[in-house]
Amino acid sequence: MPVFYNYTEGGYVYSFDDVFVPADAFREGNLWTWGLNSYGRLGDNTVVDRSTPVTTFAGGTNWKQVTGGGNYTAAIKTDGTLWTWGDNTSGQVGDNTTTQRLTPVTTLAGGANWKQVSCGFRHTAAIKTDGTLWTWGRNTEGQLGNNTTGDRSAPVTTFAGGTNWKQVACAGFHTAVIKTDGTLWTWGFNGLGVLGNNTTVDSLTPVTTFAGGTNWKQVACGYNRTAAIKTDGTLWNWGRGNEAQLGDNTATTRSVPVTTFAGGTNWKQVACGGLIAAAIKTDGTLWTWGANNAQGALGNNTAENRSTPVTTFAGGTNWKQVACGDLYTAAIKTDGTLWTWGYNTVYGQLGINNTTDNRSTPVTTFAGGTNWKQVACGSNHTAATTYIDSYQ
């Protein structure tokens, strides 16, 4: 589930010693957050950073999908309601105000038919079960897709309209969405070719990528770049490539989609972070590429950047879902365990109960457990849901 990552913000994690519920609560579909907590992005009614997972102030055992943005978070419950919290400078919380929220609130649009949500730096996009697409928050680069550049503090529909939107992803200042007909649409900032339409001109309304086609399956957005998988299993990247984050064995920026150097037709899910990317193949292997620096965000036990996909030090063929933050990564295995690696100092976004150690190989969070369902990374904060027994 794709997200934007801002270079100045941070993460989270949970400790059984700090949490106010018994360990068996992890069998219940709770929502847990950890890492940087400026603006209240962890939703625990404080602005205190957390190096171990904590539950949001809203509590409950019916959280279904979560996403992290630059300084805020959004999540959908199993009853179809949409909740947002954290920074609201540009109205990205969607409650018709610009007031910071330390605990989850519902959007002004309300309703119990939200299906999927994604956060950018300061803009949000979400799809309802009726197939309509709604956007709100910062719009200075046209990232809301409503043919204006005015911010919106309450949800609006895109200029394209329609009831066949399927999956949405947001990054810093652009948005990408796949329709049920398999077409891929992008809009917003395009200075580095992130829209993939062979130009560097911003677009205030949805445009199709240069690659075209009606067989796009999943899309993810990172800092000034985009990645997407087709139904034939091929993986495509475009936009900023100066730190090898396109995985095409170069450090070249691209305004049209290119396939990764690894090639192949068995890519299943892709995620983008600040300067890194990660993807899982249908065989369950996990691959990373981009800026590794000294933080170890690629998880391959080195500090070297990689311009082509490499496997993590943990290896294995049982990876299920992956998410990327600024310079760190989080992933869940099919056995329900949650693993994190990369940048952790200052904020504790790896959730390993300290803010002093970066990790260049995958480690489990301090919370442990084998019932993690979905993980999302913001800039430097992390959020994850656990299985509800009846939904497993």
Side-chain angles (χ1 to χ4, degrees), residues 39-41 71-73 84-88 93 99-102:
Y39 299 97
R41 72 193 72 187
N71 308 304
Y72 72 110
T73 310
T84 51
W85 58 95
D87 181 28
N88 197 24
V93 167
T99 303
Q100 173 181 303
R101 302 293 180 177
L102 306 185

Side-chain angles (χ1 to χ4, degrees), residues 190-206:
N190 195 28
L192 294 167
V194 295
L195 303 188
N197 63 340
N198 204 27
T199 78
T200 54
V201 179
D202 296 351
S203 180
L204 309 185
T205 60

Side-chain angles (χ1 to χ4, degrees), residues 39-344:
Y39 299 97
R41 72 193 72 187
L42 301 188
D44 65 346
N45 204 29
T46 77
V47 289
V48 178
D49 297 347
R50 306 285 184 171
S51 63
T52 59
V54 294
T55 56
T56 65
F57 190 77
T61 58
N62 62 335
W63 296 97
K64 184 172 68 171
Q65 187 241 326
V66 64
T67 179
N71 308 304
Y72 72 110
T73 310
I76 296 174
K77 290 189 173 184
T78 54
D79 63 6
T81 55
L82 172 60
W83 301 76
T84 51
W85 58 95
D87 181 28
N88 197 24
T89 304
S90 300
Q92 61 265 44
V93 167
D95 65 346
N96 206 29
T97 77
T98 54
T99 303
Q100 173 181 303
R101 302 293 180 177
L102 306 185
T103 61
V105 294
T106 55
T107 65
L108 184 81
N113 63 335
W114 295 99
K115 183 173 70 171
Q116 189 242 327
V117 62
S118 181
C119 296
F121 174 44
R122 285 181 178 167
H123 79 286
T124 312
I127 298 173
K128 290 189 173 185
T129 54
D130 63 7
T132 55
L133 172 63
W134 301 76
T135 57
W136 58 96
R138 178 168 169 163
N139 195 31
T140 50
E141 291 76 25
Q143 55 264 57
L144 300 189
N146 65 338
N147 205 28
T148 76
T149 54
D151 294 352
R152 300 287 183 146
S153 59
V156 294
T157 54
T158 65
F159 187 77
T163 59
N164 64 335
W165 299 99
K166 181 180 178 183
Q167 187 246 321
V168 62
C170 297
F173 311 105
H174 77 286
T175 308
V177 190
I178 295 174
K179 289 188 174 184
T180 54
D181 63 7
T183 55
L184 173 59
W185 302 78
T186 56
W187 58 91
F189 175 72
N190 195 28
L192 294 167
V194 295
L195 303 188
N197 63 340
N198 204 27
T199 78
T200 54
V201 179
D202 296 351
S203 180
L204 309 185
T205 60
V207 294
T208 55
T209 66
F210 189 77
T214 58
N215 62 335
W216 295 100
K217 182 173 67 172
Q218 186 242 328
V219 64
C221 295
Y223 181 62
N224 289 334
R225 74 185 196 286
T226 311
I229 298 173
K230 290 188 174 185
T231 54
D232 63 7
T234 55
L235 172 59
W236 301 75
N237 297 268
W238 59 95
R240 183 177 179 178
N242 65 312
E243 297 280 354
Q245 55 267 58
L246 300 188
D248 64 345
N249 203 28
T250 75
T252 304
T253 293
R254 308 280 186 177
S255 61
V256 297
V258 293
T259 55
T260 65
F261 187 77
T265 58
N266 62 335
W267 296 100
K268 181 181 176 183
Q269 186 241 327
V270 64
C272 296
L275 294 173
I276 57 175
I280 296 173
K281 290 188 174 185
T282 54
D283 63 7
T285 55
L286 173 60
W287 301 76
T288 57
W289 59 94
N292 208 15
N293 300 324
Q295 287 80 19
L298 302 188
N300 65 336
N301 203 29
T302 76
E304 299 173 2
N305 293 354
R306 297 288 183 153
S307 60
T308 61
V310 294
T311 55
T312 65
F313 188 77
T317 58
N318 63 335
W319 296 98
K320 183 175 70 170
Q321 188 246 326
V322 64
C324 297
D326 263 4
L327 289 169
Y328 75 104
T329 309
I332 296 174
K333 290 189 174 185
T334 54
D335 62 7
T337 55
L338 172 61
W339 301 75
T340 56
W341 58 94
Y343 183 56
N344 186 55

